[in-house]
Amino acid sequence: MFQETTLFLVCGLGSLGQHCAMALKKFGVKVVAIEQTMPKSWEFPELPNFFEELIIGDCRQIEILERAKLKKCRSVLIVTSDEEVNAQTALTVRELNDNIRIVMRCGQENLNQLLNQQLGNFFADDPTQLTASAFALEGLGDETIGFFAINNYRFEVTKHQIKGSNSWFYGRKLYELNNKKRRVLSHINTQNKNFKGFYKWELNSPLNVGDTLIYVELVDEFSLRNYQSLPQVKKRRKQWQEGVTIFLSRFKLELSQLGNFSLLRQVRTVVLVCSLLIIILLIIGTFLFQFYYPDTTLIYAFYATAILLLGGYADLFGNFEPIAPIPPWLQFFALSLTVIGTAFVGVLYAALTEALLSAKFQLIRPRPIIPQKDHLVIVGLGKVGQRVANYLKEVKQPQVGITFNPDFDRTILSDIPLIIGNLKESFIQGNISKAKSIIITTENEMLNLEIALMARSVNPEGRLVIGAYRKGLSEKLTHLLKNAQVISSYAVAAEAFAGAAFGENILSLFRQQNQTVLVTEYQIESHDTLNGLLIVEISYGYDVLVIFYQNKFQEIKLMPSLEIRVEVGDRIIILGTVDGLKRIEQGNILLTSRCWGVRINWIPHQDAAFEGANAITRISGCDLALARKLMESIPNTLPMAFYQHQAQYLIRELSKVLIKAELINFFPD
């Protein structure tokens, strides 16, 4: 958190590097930049004037890093497009500065883990991987807008609109929704249509039809929240009906494919038939030779039949002279055994060879058929597209992958339908006109624009999610395709990189009302701005939400109580925007919002006064002796200022012991 050193170094001024510099600018720090050559264009025209110094050179060279005042920098963000250059720069940086925070762009997870172990004070990730979940969730268009895991605990962020009076949320007050597994993030109604902060809504407001609620919840497993508003009985009935529908659709699919066996199924069927026929012929031949050739025994008749089936006719009947004891028709049967056996044994050899090759080379399994409607289409199967596909598999959504790369590795994403071809043919094969969503993730922005326009023309009602990398194009796409969701991968990832540059661990992120919310981990140290604060002060003072608390004794609390005081050695995980992280970094707690008071009007008895003083101490953090003294003279206004939600929480706690209190605004409009 806040330190005297406020100098940051950015290596690489491509699109990601420029977005990282702009994200750092929000924190009000000084930035030095290194770039191999002077950028031909700036996505942010004001950016060159922001740098403390812009150095042209190779960031791997010691003299260039020393010129950039590396030893005085708090963090270095190594974000060039060449991962090899990034890794070499990181190693050189650690040689020159043992304490600097290193944030590196790299998509190789194993290398990132090894470098973290070796270098320490290190964070690395790939911007495309950071934003893949945002693409997947926007494409789903359902109520779930975020999901992440912490210490094997799973959390979902849900956006739910109340559509009728039968909703479970209808008529309830907002504070009633907060419990040990759920916290409200935002309440949007006709008066408050945009997200402006986690607590910019009235706790005591009842929920009405048309209101939108955003909340984070602890769940057993990740699932799409399509039926959250239904009562439990109706929800179970809906789930049962959905299960029956899925079963019937799969059954119909199997029936339709009975005449269209896969190659592997055909081979197995032929092998089974051949094996049965060989056994039958072996039994028949043994019986006939033993019956019509009395001089032989049963075992020799069996051997003779086996030899014939293995192609040994010449070994038994190689002479031109007729064999009197064996009838001609039996000799012809023996010849037939040789012919049939040769063919069938060849099939068995082929099956054995196929099995060995499959085991050694892992031959590609047949892919599922392409859905006819209500599926998601991922156009572009690079790093982003592949990660989006994996996210969609987690929530079991029908999907189709489209790539224009003829050399695409077909072993990747082998369990989803794949189309490789040109743009027009792929649109027809992928049933784009009936798709639920089209997610465009190619690395060519002009191609993304072309695909988006074609998708909108053939499917005007479908959900359109477009990846953009440059600021100008993303803004133009937003205006051109007003109903489309345009995600600037570098802009979103830059916020995470900037947050990581201040020493915090960015665990995940999601998008809420066109803003990026970061899931950030803090290890509390003695100099931290959070040290000694109550969770209620952290939450309302910095406009963040604490969802995880672990004390120095490793005791974990999920959705922790607002009354816990954070101390050195504790670990907390918060949800917050870049603005919230900036306030924490600078210790800029929101004092202007702390303008509410609590007036106590009546206390029923002395026991209530005792419990009321305890509640005041827990929630406000004031001295217990002072709280008890305040309870002796009633009516009385408490002399401390509160945040609005904090004061309302205290009033509710006092009401539990029958103390009557009211909310007072110290600075009314």
Side-chain angles (χ1 to χ4, degrees):
M1 296 183 208
F2 185 74
Q3 298 177 5
E4 293 182 358
T5 304
T6 57
L7 190 63
F8 290 73
L9 175 61
V10 177
C11 297
L13 287 178
S15 185
L16 177 60
Q18 293 185 40
H19 277 92
C20 286
M22 288 301 297
L24 289 171
K25 183 180 178 181
K26 296 180 181 179
F27 287 84
V29 298
K30 298 179 180 178
V31 178
V32 177
I34 299 175
E35 177 55 64
Q36 185 80 32
T37 59
M38 181 64 72
K40 296 181 180 179
S41 62
W42 296 94
E43 296 190 33
F44 305 92
E46 70 276 17
L47 192 57
N49 298 326
F50 165 65
F51 293 122
E52 191 77 5
E53 185 176 2
L54 174 57
I55 301 171
I56 304 301
D58 190 340
C59 58
R60 294 170 292 182
Q61 297 178 1
I62 294 178
E63 57 271 19
I64 295 296
L65 292 171
E66 289 179 340
R67 181 181 166 188
K69 303 175 184 178
L70 181 70
K71 294 183 178 180
K72 294 183 179 180
C73 289
R74 177 175 171 182
S75 296
V76 55
L77 288 78
I78 309 171
V79 291
T80 76
S81 58
D82 191 324
E83 292 186 351
E84 182 178 350
V85 171
N86 294 345
Q88 293 178 15
T89 304
L91 295 173
T92 306
V93 166
R94 182 56 77 222
E95 290 179 3
L96 298 176
N97 190 329
D98 294 333
N99 300 317
I100 193 171
R101 171 76 164 173
I102 299 176
V103 178
M104 188 179 82
R105 173 186 184 176
C106 182
Q108 302 180 43
E109 294 183 8
N110 186 49
L111 176 61
N112 293 343
Q113 294 176 1
L114 294 172
L115 287 175
N116 187 28
Q117 296 172 3
Q118 187 68 29
L119 301 179
N121 199 11
F122 177 86
F123 172 87
D125 211 329
D126 185 71
T128 58
Q129 295 178 2
L130 278 171
T131 56
S133 60
F135 279 93
L137 291 167
E138 289 289 357
L140 288 170
D142 292 292
E143 293 191 341
T144 301
I145 62 173
F147 52 82
F148 51 90
I150 302 173
N151 281 34
N152 297 322
Y153 298 104
R154 297 181 176 185
F155 296 84
E156 279 189 1
V157 183
T158 303
K159 180 179 180 181
H160 173 72
Q161 185 178 32
I162 301 174
K163 297 181 179 179
S165 58
N166 61 337
S167 170
W168 179 78
F169 293 117
Y170 178 75
R172 304 188 68 181
K173 293 185 178 180
L174 283 166
Y175 73 83
E176 295 177 336
L177 305 181
N178 290 330
N179 56 35
K180 294 181 179 179
K181 289 190 174 183
R182 186 192 307 115
R183 288 288 189 273
V184 176
L185 295 177
S186 181
H187 172 228
I188 304 168
N189 54 28
T190 54
Q191 288 77 35
N192 178 27
K193 295 184 179 181
N194 297 314
F195 173 72
K196 297 179 180 178
F198 289 137
Y199 308 104
K200 303 300 187 291
W201 32 269
E202 175 58 52
L203 266 177
N204 295 322
S205 296
L207 291 165
N208 299 308
V209 175
D211 290 0
T212 299
L213 193 67
I214 300 176
Y215 58 91
V216 58
E217 188 172 22
L218 180 68
V219 295
D220 294 329
E221 60 182 12
F222 296 137
S223 61
L224 296 181
R225 300 304 185 90
N226 292 317
Y227 313 114
Q228 185 66 36
S229 62
L230 295 174
Q232 292 300 318
V233 175
K234 290 186 178 180
K235 184 189 295 186
R236 286 194 294 268
R237 184 184 304 167
K238 191 75 174 180
Q239 291 173 345
W240 181 83
Q241 291 174 351
E242 184 186 54
V244 172
T245 302
I246 292 174
F247 171 78
L248 291 176
S249 62
R250 289 181 178 176
F251 181 72
K252 291 178 181 178
L253 178 62
E254 291 295 330
L255 288 178
S256 65
Q257 290 184 326
L258 283 177
N260 186 26
F261 292 105
S262 66
L263 177 61
L264 182 58
R265 192 177 301 174
Q266 290 178 10
V267 171
R268 288 178 179 173
T269 302
V270 171
V271 169
L272 179 62
V273 172
C274 290
S275 300
L276 290 174
L277 288 176
I278 287 175
I279 293 173
I280 293 171
L281 291 173
L282 188 61
I283 294 172
I284 294 173
T286 301
F287 171 76
L288 290 175
F289 280 120
Q290 200 274 336
F291 184 81
Y292 286 99
Y293 195 52
D295 295 338
T296 189
T297 63
L298 183 65
I299 187 68
Y300 280 102
F302 173 81
Y303 288 154
T305 306
I307 290 171
L308 289 170
L309 287 171
L310 293 174
Y313 181 84
D315 297 331
L316 298 179
F317 304 100
N319 297 327
F320 287 101
E321 299 177 0
I323 303 174
I326 300 179
W329 67 267
L330 186 56
Q331 295 185 40
F332 178 77
F333 175 74
L335 178 63
S336 301
L337 285 179
T338 298
V339 175
I340 295 172
T342 301
F344 285 2
V345 170
V347 171
L348 294 177
Y349 284 155
L352 179 61
T353 303
E354 189 272 342
L356 292 173
L357 289 174
S358 298
K360 184 173 181 63
F361 298 107
Q362 295 293 314
L363 295 180
I364 301 173
R365 296 180 300 173
R367 293 180 180 272
I369 64 172
I370 297 172
Q372 296 299 310
K373 62 179 181 178
D374 296 332
H375 55 290
L376 293 93
V377 180
I378 306 170
V379 185
L381 294 178
K383 291 181 179 180
V384 180
Q386 292 176 33
R387 190 129 179 165
V388 170
N390 288 325
Y391 274 115
L392 295 177
K393 283 193 294 183
E394 287 186 28
V395 292
K396 300 177 182 179
Q397 290 294 296
Q399 57 178 306
V400 176
I402 296 178
T403 179
F404 309 121
N405 178 14
D407 299 323
F408 181 77
D409 186 353
R410 296 172 185 264
T411 61
I412 297 174
L413 302 174
S414 59
D415 50 356
I416 72 168
L418 174 66
I419 299 173
I420 301 177
N422 61 50
L423 186 56
K424 292 183 178 180
E425 292 178 355
S426 298
F427 266 48
I428 297 173
Q429 295 178 34
N431 297 320
I432 300 290
S433 60
K434 297 181 180 179
K436 173 184 176 181
S437 298
I438 302 96
I439 306 173
I440 306 170
T441 64
T442 79
E443 297 180 359
N444 186 327
E445 289 189 313
M446 297 310 297
L447 179 59
N448 287 355
L449 174 60
E450 181 182 0
I451 296 170
L453 294 174
M454 286 185 62
R456 179 60 78 214
S457 64
V458 299
N459 188 351
E461 302 299 326
R463 192 172 182 85
L464 192 59
V465 184
I466 312 168
Y469 299 94
R470 291 179 174 82
K471 176 175 176 289
L473 182 59
S474 64
E475 291 177 347
K476 288 181 174 60
L477 282 174
T478 302
H479 293 300
L480 179 63
L481 302 168
K482 294 184 179 180
N483 295 327
Q485 303 297 317
V486 182
I487 299 177
S488 176
S489 297
Y490 289 153
V492 174
E495 294 181 330
F497 276 61
F502 288 92
E504 317 311 338
N505 188 17
I506 308 300
L507 304 179
S508 182
L509 58 83
F510 60 90
R511 299 283 290 173
Q512 174 178 321
Q513 298 293 103
N514 296 321
Q515 290 199 42
T516 302
V517 178
L518 302 173
V519 184
T520 309
E521 177 185 28
Y522 287 89
Q523 295 283 352
I524 308 302
E525 300 177 359
S526 58
H527 61 272
D528 286 347
T529 57
L530 301 180
N531 184 26
L533 296 180
L534 296 171
I535 288 182
V536 67
E537 295 174 306
I538 296 173
S539 300
Y540 302 142
Y542 293 116
D543 197 24
V544 298
L545 178 66
V546 181
I547 61 171
F548 180 97
Y549 168 81
Q550 183 177 22
N551 61 23
K552 54 188 175 184
F553 304 109
Q554 305 303 308
E555 180 184 3
I556 292 175
K557 293 180 186 276
L558 304 174
M559 307 297 181
S561 169
L562 297 174
E563 303 157 8
I564 296 175
R565 190 177 295 277
V566 174
E567 299 176 347
V568 174
D570 292 349
R571 173 189 175 213
I572 65 172
I573 296 175
I574 70 167
L575 305 183
T577 62
V578 169
D579 290 336
L581 269 60
K582 172 185 174 182
R583 280 192 285 269
I584 293 176
E585 167 65 22
Q586 298 176 345
N588 183 19
I589 198 164
L590 293 171
L591 297 177
T592 56
S593 300
R594 200 168 189 167
C595 60
W596 297 84
V598 174
R599 179 177 175 81
I600 300 177
N601 296 320
W602 182 75
I603 299 177
H605 46 71
Q606 191 59 35
D607 290 342
F610 179 83
E611 294 297 334
N614 291 340
I616 293 171
T617 299
R618 292 196 319 267
I619 297 172
S620 70
C622 77
D623 182 71
L624 181 59
L626 174 61
R628 297 209 186 284
K629 185 176 180 180
L630 292 171
M631 299 299 284
E632 294 175 357
S633 55
I634 300 300
N636 189 12
T637 300
L638 300 181
M640 63 281 295
F642 297 89
Y643 297 101
Q644 182 180 7
H645 287 197
Q646 180 187 17
Q648 291 173 331
Y649 174 49
L650 175 58
I651 292 172
R652 291 197 304 273
E653 290 298 302
L654 292 174
S655 68
K656 292 179 181 178
V657 292
L658 304 179
I659 296 177
K660 294 183 179 180
E662 62 178 325
L663 184 68
I664 297 175
N665 189 346
F666 288 150
F667 305 102
D669 295 335

